[in-house]
Amino acid sequence: MRLGIFGGTFNPIHMGHLITAEHVREAFDIDRLIFVPSARPPHKPSPELIDGVHRLEMARLAVADHPRFDVSPIEHERSGRSYSVETVEAFHQEWGGEATLFFVLGIDAFLEMATWREPERLFALCNFVITSRAGFPFDQARQVLSDILGITPPAEAQHVALPQGRTLWFHSVLPIGISSTLIRDRLQRRRSVKYLLPGPVESYILSHHLYSDSNKRS
Ligand code: ATP
């Protein structure tokens, strides 16, 4: 059993997340890929961050037609800030014996890892797949690995050995210039978001009046 954990704020989930997840699932032969919307992310405190209940529901709608994708409410069920180390630890306890865990995150998020809670413990818990994102070259990741683990991989290394026999891979995905910021911005300006995210997610946003100015004021 190969289990992927894909964390993010998903505010809202969009095609960039889904295409990236699908290509990682395929490349790493992942049996089940679980999207984990962050309830109270320490790094993205923002007035634009809508209630986790909506972000969770949109993620569920987005993956409903994929037999290998799933959504976990684990960070919403826990009180306090959402720390990845606690989430991965919980998955490790539940699945560790029978599953190989892959924590999937974009290079933009990875570059902030030195500021996360207990990053060295996180590195010992699972494998990592770091995906590409425009504007964030992989070579900057060497500094992060050096700061946290004292490892300096050769430039251009495509994978790095981690403690406890784990591996970190750098994986280039199809560049897709969609972000949640772009979608929120378009919604606020009453522009179309069709095809930037799944149809059911678009319908959910429109029917709940999410990300509109009136919603922000309420
Ligand atoms: P925001 O614009 O609000 O900062 P975002 O679009 O970056 O949000 P997140 O929920 O923060 O979305 O992203 C979760 C993960 O998905 C991150 O690791 C990020 O690198 C990755 N990701 C988001 N958008 C894309 C994209 N278009 N292509 C590849 N990876 C992406």
Side-chain angles (χ1 to χ4, degrees):
M1 169 77 166
R2 292 161 74 85
L3 188 76
I5 304 167
F6 188 18
T9 40
F10 303 122
N11 184 38
I13 193 164
H14 55 69
M15 290 307 192
H17 297 129
L18 292 163
I19 294 169
T20 297
E22 175 64 352
H23 291 178
V24 167
R25 183 199 64 73
E26 184 180 57
F28 289 84
D29 204 14
I30 286 174
D31 298 296
R32 226 179 124 197
L33 186 66
I34 305 183
F35 290 68
V36 185
S38 173
R40 289 161 291 277
H43 292 98
K44 286 200 174 175
S46 150
E48 295 191 324
L49 186 68
I50 63 162
D51 196 311
V53 172
H54 289 308
R55 290 181 288 115
L56 207 49
E57 188 52 30
M58 289 189 285
R60 286 188 179 124
L61 289 169
V63 307
D65 64 351
H66 197 306
R68 295 191 183 275
F69 283 180
D70 222 331
V71 177
S72 167
I74 184 170
E75 297 200 351
H76 296 262
E77 290 169 352
R78 219 168 47 218
S79 57
R81 296 235 172 258
S82 306
Y83 293 109
S84 297
V85 67
E86 292 175 7
T87 299
V88 175
E89 176 95 292
F91 278 101
H92 185 68
Q93 275 171 14
E94 188 179 347
W95 295 92
E98 49 189 304
T100 304
L101 299 185
F102 296 82
F103 189 50
V104 181
L105 78 164
I107 179 70
D108 53 322
F110 181 78
L111 292 179
E112 295 185 356
M113 241 185 103
T115 66
W116 291 15
R117 171 174 281 199
E118 298 186 75
E120 67 297 336
R121 190 154 76 86
L122 184 52
F123 274 130
L125 285 173
C126 62
N127 300 290
F128 280 72
V129 178
I130 310 302
T131 55
S132 53
R133 199 161 185 192
F136 300 89
F138 277 147
D139 60 13
Q140 291 179 9
R142 299 170 80 232
Q143 189 61 47
V144 177
L145 289 165
S146 162
D147 289 347
I148 300 173
L149 294 174
I151 296 173
T152 311
E156 312 296 321
Q158 306 222 326
H159 53 89
V160 178
L162 297 177
Q164 312 285 337
R166 320 260 184 224
T167 305
L168 177 150
W169 286 271
F170 294 107
H171 184 69
S172 292
V173 293
L174 191 68
I176 299 158
I178 304 174
S179 66
S180 301
T181 303
L182 170 84
I183 291 170
R184 293 192 304 270
D185 184 61
R186 289 188 70 85
L187 286 163
Q188 269 161 33
R189 291 187 291 119
R190 303 198 192 289
R191 296 285 172 90
S192 169
V193 292
K194 201 169 184 58
Y195 308 127
L196 298 176
L197 33 67
V201 178
E202 181 190 3
S203 302
Y204 185 93
I205 289 172
L206 298 178
S207 64
H208 289 81
H209 310 290
L210 303 179
Y211 306 112
S212 64
D213 280 339
S214 55
N215 177 264
K216 266 176 86 182
R217 276 195 296 272
S218 65

